[in-house]
Amino acid sequence: MQIVVVAPPEIKPEFALKFTAPHDYIFATDYNQIRNNLKEAQVVFDFFLSDNPDRLRLYQDRKGLIIFCQAVTSSLAQLVYDAQTELACTLFGFNGWPTFLNRPYLEVTMLKEADKPILQEICAQLGTEYLTVDDRVGMVTPRVLAMIINEAFYTLQENTATTANIDFAMKLGTNYPYGPFEWTEKIGLGNIYKLLEALYADTHDERYKICPLLKKKYLQEYQGAQ
């Protein structure tokens, strides 16, 4: 089975550790590199699609093609709506955040309940267990973690505790592998910021209102990357 992976280069090591079944994997960092491979591909893992809904048109006419879209910041329903297209391919969402990809269970969303047998079959071929969650912004694990990290920034902003103390308390109290600031470094502050922004826009829930200190650090980091 030929599998095309469109992703940032830093994703490749974790992806390779997660998916070890003997298939033909083709890695690319942009869409121009995959156009010639789509005719032979059976599966595509697309880490950019949620930020580029119009790119669905690359896949829309490929009946039988299975697309796994990194769908942390957008629901699949919203993605298809924004693309203004009808799909012949099958679309799933997955949590591909750094440190969350190479885990025993792949966190997955479905566009259509009728696609469940397809998901079961393809995950068996990929050699991974999976858990399905509702098709909504943030899925489950990223949404909960982003909220925890946001609260940790509020605690830091109020000078209640240091980053080291907050990380230690979180690991001790919840048995998480990392504290909120350690996890932020691994996931990327930009990913956390964009998810909180999307969650607040989707729900207007105050839990997701971005902490001013988190926003300041994100803007400083973004400016430094220019």
Side-chain angles (χ1 to χ4, degrees):
M1 182 166 63
Q2 188 175 98
I3 300 170
V4 173
V5 184
V6 194
E10 62 269 19
I11 291 294
K12 186 175 180 179
E14 189 176 0
F15 190 96
L17 288 171
K18 170 63 177 173
F19 297 104
T20 57
H23 299 296
D24 181 15
Y25 295 95
I26 298 172
F27 288 88
T29 56
D30 64 57
Y31 290 101
N32 291 328
Q33 297 174 348
I34 69 168
R35 293 179 186 275
N36 294 332
N37 300 114
L38 287 179
K39 290 182 180 180
E40 304 299 326
Q42 286 83 48
V43 178
V44 175
F45 279 86
D46 193 324
F47 285 75
F48 302 129
L49 191 56
S50 61
D51 293 326
N52 302 273
D54 61 302
R55 295 299 184 180
L56 265 175
R57 297 189 181 95
L58 285 174
Y59 313 125
Q60 63 181 12
D61 297 327
R62 281 289 316 279
K63 188 174 182 179
L65 180 65
I66 298 172
I67 308 296
F68 281 92
C69 165
Q70 153 75 303
V72 171
T73 57
S74 175
S75 68
L76 297 179
Q78 186 68 54
L79 186 66
V80 173
Y81 177 83
D82 290 342
Q84 292 293 300
T85 187
E86 294 185 9
L87 300 181
C89 62
T90 302
L91 183 64
F92 299 114
F94 74 102
N95 176 10
W97 264 10
T99 76
F100 286 95
L101 182 58
N102 184 25
R103 294 189 165 207
Y105 291 92
L106 189 68
E107 191 172 355
V108 180
T109 58
M110 295 186 297
L111 184 64
K112 301 174 183 177
E113 189 69 20
D115 292 333
K116 187 176 288 187
I118 298 174
L119 178 63
Q120 183 176 10
E121 180 180 351
I122 197 63
C123 283
Q125 292 182 47
L126 291 169
T128 183
E129 298 289 334
Y130 65 93
L131 292 172
T132 57
V133 298
D134 288 343
D135 180 31
R136 57 178 293 189
V137 175
M139 306 181 80
V140 172
T141 310
R143 173 169 48 86
V144 171
L145 186 58
M147 183 175 61
I148 290 172
I149 289 171
N150 198 39
E151 288 298 323
F153 270 94
Y154 273 114
T155 301
L156 183 65
Q157 179 178 269
E158 294 164 2
N159 294 315
T160 305
T162 65
T163 57
N165 287 340
I166 294 169
D167 281 341
F168 178 74
M170 177 62 71
K171 288 186 288 187
L172 187 65
T174 64
N175 202 32
Y176 281 6
Y178 309 110
F181 295 104
E182 291 172 327
W183 234 326
T184 299
E185 187 172 342
K186 291 179 178 297
I187 295 168
L189 185 61
N191 286 328
I192 301 297
Y193 181 88
K194 290 174 184 176
L195 176 53
L196 287 168
E197 193 174 46
L199 284 165
Y200 189 71
D202 185 56
T203 66
H204 295 287
D205 190 323
E206 291 295 312
R207 292 179 298 174
Y208 307 122
K209 193 170 184 179
I210 299 173
C211 171
L213 180 60
L214 190 156
K215 182 176 182 179
K216 178 182 178 181
K217 288 187 177 295
Y218 166 74
L219 293 174
Q220 289 173 336
E221 183 177 293
Y222 180 80
Q223 185 178 26
Q226 297 304 297

